[in-house]
Each structure stands twice: as C-alpha cells, then as structure tokens.
Amino acid sequence: MSQRMSAFSFFVGAKSDALPKGPGRKKWFRQAGPISLAFLGAAALLSFGANLWVPQDPTYQDLLYRLVPPFEIGEGVSYLLGTDQLGRDVFSRLVHGGKVSFAVGLATATLAMLIGGFLGLIAAYFRGWQEAVILRVVDIQTAFPFLIVAIAIVSIVGAGVNTIIFTLVIWLWTPFARLAHAKSLSVKESEFYRAAISSGRSGFGLVFQHIVPNITGAMMVVWTFVVAQTIIAESSMSYLGLGVPLSTPTWGSMLSEGRNYLETAWWIATFPAVAIMLTVLCVNVFGDWLSDRLDPQTKEI
Amino acid sequence: MLRVLGSRALQLILVVLGISTLLFFLVRVSGDPALAVAGSEATTEDIEIIRESLGLNRSIFEQYFAFLIKLATLNFGDSYIYLQPSMPLILEALPSTLYLSFVAFALAMLVAIPAGIFAAVKRRNASGRFILSMSMLGQSIPPFIIGIFMILVFSVWLQWLPSFGNEQPTSIIMPAIALSAVLMARHTRLVRAYFIEEMNRGYVRTGKSLGFNNRRIRFKHILRNISVPMLSLIGIDLGKFVGGAVIIEAVFAWPGIGSLMVNAVKARDYPMLEAGVFTVAVMVVLVNLIVDLLYQFVDPRLRAKVN
C-alpha cells in the first residue's frame, strides 16, 4: 500500500518542504505551483461555463461598433477588451476561445497518456518483439516533426476539435510510452517486484498493483508538459487556419485575424496572445513544481 | 560506422514509408480526392475524368502499388496549384529553409550554452534565477506569437526591419530569433540541469583538490561531459525545430518549403504535400545521422569502441 499513490496523497500528501531550502528561496516561489493550478482551474471553469456569464454572444457582429479600443465605455454598450474588425466583443470571444484550448489540451494529453502508458507497459512487461516494435515506432515518431504530419492530416480529414485531438494523440503518445517503458523496467529490477513474483503474483494484478502506481508520478509530470505542448500546437494550427472551423472562436484564430490589424487595433491580437502565454506558462510552472515533488530524477524524456 | 549508416538508412525507409502510407490511406478514407480536386462547380463527367486521370477508378491495392512506385522514383506528380512537377519546386525552396534553420539553430546554441552554464554556476543568486525564469517564460510563448509581436515592434512601430520575404540581408533577423526562442529557452534549462548534476561528480572534486581553476574544470571537463547527453537531445529536438520553421515561414512569408506546404495544405495540393513531407523526412534523418557521427567525435570512448 505504501507504494500506491492515491489521488489523495497525490495532492495532499506531497510535503510542502520537499524543495531544498536554499538561501533566497522565497516562500511565494514554493507556492508557485499551487497558485498556477488554481489560476488554471479558475480559467478553465470560467471558459467552460462561458455561456452562463459572458456578456455577449462571441459571434454576434455589431458593425456600428467596429474596432472599439479596450476599456472604453460606449453609449449603453461597454466592451471591456474592445471589439474586432466585425464588431465582435473581444472579451467574450477570449473566454469562449479558452474552451477549445483547454478541451484539446486536457483530452489530448489524457488520451495520449493512457495509450502511450499502455503500450509502454506492454513493451516493458513482455520485452521481446513487442518491445522492439513499440520502441522503434517511438524513435521514428520522436525524430519527425509532428506538426507537419498534424497539418497534413487535418487538411485531409477536415478541420474540427475531434480531428485535432485524434491527430495530436497519434503523435504525442510517444513520450508517455518511452517513459512508462523506462520506469517499468526499473521497477522490475526492484526487490518488492521480485518479492511479488515469488509470492505468486502475475499478469494484470502484478502490473496494476506494483508497476502502475510506481510510474504514475512521472507520468503526471509528463502529462502537464504535454498539455502545454498541445495548447501551443492547437493554437499554431488555428493560426494557420488549419484548426477548428472559423465559426468557433479560438485563441489561435483570433490571433491570425488580429495580425492584419496590428497597426490600427493592437488589442485584437494582443489579448489572445497573452491568454495563450499565461496558460502555457502556468501549466509549465505547475509541471515544474510537480516534478520537484513527484519525480526529482526524471529531468527530460 | 557502417552499422550506423545502415540503421539510419533503414530508419529513412521506415519513416518515409510509414508517413506516406498513413497519408495515402487518410486521403482515400476521408472522401473522394477527385471531388476535392474538382471543386464545387464540377459536373459528374468532369469528376469522372479527374478520377480516371488520378487513377482512382482502380482498386485500392493497385493504387497503393502505383503510389509506391511514385515514391521510389521520387516522382510525386504535378502540383495542382503550380501545374509543374512538385519535387523540383520543393528542392528550389529548400536552401532558404536550410539557411533559416541553420542561423536560428546556431543562434539558439550560442545563447543557450553560456546562459545555461551561467545559470548553473550562479544558481543560488538572483541572476541565475532570473535566467531560469526567463527560460521558463521563453518556453511558454509559441514561436508564432513572438514573430507577430516582433513584426509589430520592429516593422510597424520602429520600421527597422522588413516584415516579410527574404530579399534583404536583414530579413533573416526576425524569423531566426522567433524560430530559435523555444530551442534557446529549453536548452538553457537543460544545460543548467546537466551542469549542476556534473558539478557534484567526483572528478570535479578531484580537479579542485588538484588545484585546477574553475575555468579549466568548467570548460574543459564539465562541458565535455555534458556534451554527449546534450547532443542526443539536440537530435530529438531538431525534428520539432523543423515543425516550428513551417509556422515561422508562414508568419514571415519566408519563401521556404514551409510556406509551400502550408499553401499546399490549404489548396489540397497532395502531390506538393507528399513531396514536402518526403523532403522533410529525408532532412530529419540526415540530421540525425550527422548527430550520430558527432557522438564519436565528441566522446572518445565511443570512438574506441568502434575501432
């Protein structure tokens, strides 16, 4: 039981003084992880619940109020972050646009973790040809620029949230497989694993009770970094016009529309850019914090 | 040496075959390519003619076999947009992509290695922390956003640099910086982490007790020891780097294969897309081959094993 990491100990059991207390390491710095997580949670909730509270329909066009600068109160209408070239409210679009980023990020990373983790476990458990094939595919995919393949697939299959998730998953399972494989092999070397085998455990019970709990921490760390990578990939694809259809607001497509108005209306591109950066930064900071606690050895995969 | 070459050649074949096959079947599964080529105003007869000319009326196995022959002879067919053979067009654009990638990569390494070492040595000081925080920030900004805001500041406001194309010698500056930023930030962190790890090794203590000065220990001994793991990470990252180049080329209208491929994707120009994907695959494998050879140059232990 001590080897198992429950969801409870995962969040609560992590000791707050796990970081080395070097001189100059401020208290707030140690709290950067939880603060980032709280921020992300709030942002995700506000985005997913956008329909309930956002002042305007994100696709509503009001051509009388085109390119209104931010923080200006108009006659009867106020646009917190201004309006774009079609008179749509930038703030409402920003909040709604978060839905796609968060949904794609979370769904892709989670699916990729399940698939990659499963394949990595298979490779490490059976060794043999399974390992050879899986690791070979991982090697080849890691070296190849996945964004190019992703763009190609989206252009063929057609744009949409599901297509993007599917495309990113078939590319981003590799870091999880590599990590699950490496970590599982080191678990198999351990005393308790041999003890479990000699006491007659085998098959699923062995894998799920003794290997899986011991690789979960490292997998969670990689999961956060893959979320960050996915959000960047999705916004890049939307920017190129190869992401979600334009009728759905996304941060990437807002940026590509705003690019043409940089000189006259800086706010159209700036606010989604800030949103992407802030989100990815928080995910990265949280991942860094998590890795200090759960998995100090694994620096890089 | 021959083994390295052989395994890379095999990898090249597998990459190209795997990705081309994936694209081939996705094109067929996701709908009739003839409809995409013909556009919305084509009549039924038009579509039949297009199907015939593309060989779509044959069985899927025959089509796949014909596709493999195309792949083996590097003849991907005429581009639908340019109405010329697609491979020469890609090869024409290749030098400008290589130029951009090389400058950006060199820039990233020239900054990342000293910055990483500095951040490792000064890891307890504010200056070291500052570099670490900056690199975290740099990793969190997608390259195309850096590109857009550099255009805003340096082209629109200050009017110092051209915002697109590659006609002027200064054109390279902004795309190269935007492309290098992520790699720079990531490798600053990595150099720092590896450097700190090596600083605790026995040979460093031995060096100190023998009275070597810090510079000798850091640059002669530690740097050599971290270059091997760094090299393998660089090999992995170069793939992502090429992906970033596609976006940056689109942002700055840089006339490389990235711009060609993005346009090809938008116009469903599959011959062009296939030629582009093929070329990128060859490039990535070649770069990895160079990295393999560099290992032996950097690490004498590997050289001894081979000979």
Side-chain angles (χ1 to χ4, degrees):
Chain A
M1 194 59 205
S2 64
Q3 295 293 341
R4 165 171 283 158
M5 181 171 293
S6 67
F8 179 76
S9 69
F10 181 76
F11 286 108
V12 182
K15 288 180 188 145
S16 60
D17 57 355
L19 281 176
K21 284 179 187 156
R25 196 177 263 282
K26 298 262 164 48
K27 270 221 171 105
W28 68 265
F29 194 83
R30 245 181 285 151
Q31 296 307 321
I35 292 171
S36 305
L37 184 63
F39 174 81
L40 287 172
L45 274 181
L46 290 177
S47 279
F48 285 121
N51 281 332
L52 301 175
W53 68 281
V54 158
Q56 272 209 9
D57 181 348
T59 53
Y60 174 74
Q61 302 178 5
D62 191 347
L63 294 175
L64 279 177
Y65 293 95
R66 291 171 69 245
L67 304 177
V68 174
F71 315 117
E72 219 165 76
I73 315 277
E75 295 154 23
V77 246
S78 65
Y79 298 102
L80 184 60
L81 300 180
T83 61
D84 67 5
Q85 71 282 4
L86 297 173
R88 295 171 299 191
D89 182 24
V90 171
F91 178 73
S92 302
R93 289 177 70 72
L94 197 67
V95 177
H96 277 278
K99 269 190 277 195
V100 173
S101 290
F102 284 114
V104 169
L106 295 176
T108 304
T110 308
L111 277 174
M113 179 167 73
L114 293 177
I115 295 171
F118 180 67
L119 290 173
L121 281 174
I122 286 182
Y125 186 75
F126 290 111
R127 310 303 300 263
W129 64 267
Q130 293 94 334
E131 184 180 39
V133 170
I134 291 170
L135 291 189
R136 191 84 208 163
V137 175
V138 168
D139 272 350
I140 290 172
Q141 286 205 6
T142 309
F144 199 80
F146 85 85
L147 203 55
I148 288 180
V149 180
I151 290 169
I153 294 178
V154 170
S155 83
I156 294 167
V157 181
V161 175
N162 291 341
T163 313
I164 291 185
I165 293 175
F166 163 78
T167 312
L168 294 177
V169 166
I170 62 169
W171 219 257
L172 289 171
W173 63 275
T174 55
F176 294 107
R178 190 193 291 274
L179 182 79
H181 172 255
K183 288 265 158 187
S184 307
L185 285 187
S186 70
V187 171
K188 283 178 85 175
E189 296 290 312
S190 66
E191 296 285 324
F192 72 84
Y193 185 80
R194 294 206 190 112
I197 288 185
S198 57
S199 65
R201 302 300 309 264
S202 65
F204 275 105
L206 185 66
V207 171
F208 279 95
Q209 196 154 19
H210 296 283
I211 298 182
V212 172
N214 283 293
I215 66 173
T216 310
M219 295 288 272
M220 287 305 298
V221 172
V222 174
W223 181 84
T224 56
F225 292 123
V226 170
V227 170
Q229 216 179 329
T230 311
I231 292 176
I232 291 182
E234 185 274 321
S235 64
S236 306
M237 286 161 81
S238 295
Y239 176 78
L240 292 178
L242 303 169
V244 180
L246 279 177
S247 53
T248 315
T250 65
W251 293 340
S253 59
M254 287 172 75
L255 256 167
S256 75
E257 285 164 12
R259 189 204 185 290
N260 302 328
Y261 293 88
L262 274 181
E263 286 170 70
T264 45
W266 55 269
W267 55 90
I268 303 177
T270 304
F271 291 117
V274 170
I276 295 173
M277 289 190 294
L278 213 57
T279 307
V280 176
L281 184 67
C282 283
V283 175
N284 279 336
V285 167
F286 175 66
D288 219 37
W289 176 86
L290 208 59
S291 119
D292 279 350
R293 274 164 177 69
L294 296 182
D295 185 46
Q297 297 99 26
T298 310
K299 259 197 304 285
E300 208 53 53
I301 6 79
Chain B
M1 186 57 113
L2 274 178
R3 268 195 66 181
V4 172
L5 280 176
S7 108
R8 284 301 173 194
L10 183 69
Q11 191 191 359
L12 177 64
I13 293 170
L14 286 176
V15 168
V16 171
L17 202 61
I19 289 168
S20 318
T21 306
L22 178 72
L23 294 183
F24 173 86
F25 282 106
L26 279 173
V27 168
R28 269 73 188 174
V29 166
S30 63
D32 194 341
L35 289 179
V37 174
S40 51
E41 291 169 15
T43 60
T44 329
E45 289 86 48
D46 290 342
I47 293 172
E48 264 322 300
I49 293 167
I50 291 171
R51 287 176 70 91
E52 195 117 342
S53 67
L54 293 176
L56 292 168
N57 46 2
R58 287 178 288 170
S59 80
I60 190 106
F61 294 106
E62 275 177 273
Q63 284 185 46
Y64 186 61
F65 187 69
F67 172 75
L68 288 183
I69 289 174
K70 257 186 4 187
L71 201 62
T73 54
L74 302 187
N75 174 20
F76 293 94
D78 287 1
S79 152
Y80 301 158
I81 314 175
Y82 298 93
L83 306 173
Q84 294 174 37
S86 49
M87 200 63 199
L89 286 172
I90 292 279
L91 290 180
E92 222 168 274
L94 187 60
S96 106
T97 297
L98 289 180
Y99 171 53
L100 173 63
S101 309
F102 180 78
V103 172
F105 181 75
L107 183 67
M109 288 303 132
L110 282 176
V111 175
I113 295 170
I117 294 175
F118 182 82
V121 173
K122 303 266 180 195
R123 67 188 178 284
R124 296 199 192 283
N125 294 5
S127 52
R129 287 254 170 72
F130 176 71
I131 289 182
L132 189 63
S133 311
M134 287 308 290
S135 73
M136 176 66 96
L137 192 67
Q139 260 188 303
S140 304
I141 309 179
F144 71 96
I145 293 186
I146 299 179
I148 292 172
F149 284 95
M150 282 203 308
I151 290 176
L152 178 64
V153 174
F154 295 106
S155 302
V156 177
W157 288 346
L158 299 173
Q159 301 197 333
W160 286 351
L161 298 168
S163 64
F164 64 90
N166 69 343
E167 281 81 31
Q168 297 166 39
T170 50
S171 298
I172 185 84
I173 297 175
M174 288 200 297
I177 292 176
L179 180 55
S180 69
V182 173
L183 198 71
M184 196 187 281
R186 188 170 132 81
H187 281 257
T188 301
R189 288 176 74 80
L190 290 172
V191 167
R192 175 185 176 277
Y194 281 118
F195 207 88
I196 290 174
E197 199 180 309
E198 288 295 314
M199 280 160 80
N200 298 321
R201 289 282 160 89
Y203 72 86
V204 174
R205 200 172 49 206
T206 310
K208 274 186 189 156
S209 63
L210 286 172
F212 294 172
N213 61 15
N214 275 338
R215 191 189 300 162
R216 180 166 172 187
I217 294 174
R218 280 170 198 163
F219 293 102
K220 190 158 177 208
H221 299 287
I222 297 185
L223 202 56
R224 278 193 188 179
N225 273 298
I226 66 169
S227 58
V228 178
M230 286 304 297
L231 207 52
S232 67
L233 286 172
I234 288 173
I236 292 174
D237 280 0
L238 278 169
K240 287 181 202 150
F241 195 63
V242 177
V246 171
I247 307 270
I248 291 299
E249 284 185 7
V251 171
F252 288 97
W254 183 265
I257 57 175
S259 296
L260 279 183
M261 283 175 73
V262 170
N263 288 336
V265 164
K266 285 182 178 162
R268 295 184 168 245
D269 185 354
Y270 296 124
M272 190 68 124
L273 196 63
E274 283 164 8
V277 170
F278 174 81
T279 310
V280 171
V282 173
M283 258 168 53
V284 168
V285 174
L286 281 181
V287 165
N288 276 300
L289 179 66
I290 295 171
V291 170
D292 280 349
L293 298 178
L294 277 178
Y295 271 129
Q296 299 177 15
F297 173 74
V298 170
D299 193 345
R301 286 168 295 189
L302 292 175
R303 220 168 352 189
K305 261 183 213 160
V306 171
N307 293 333

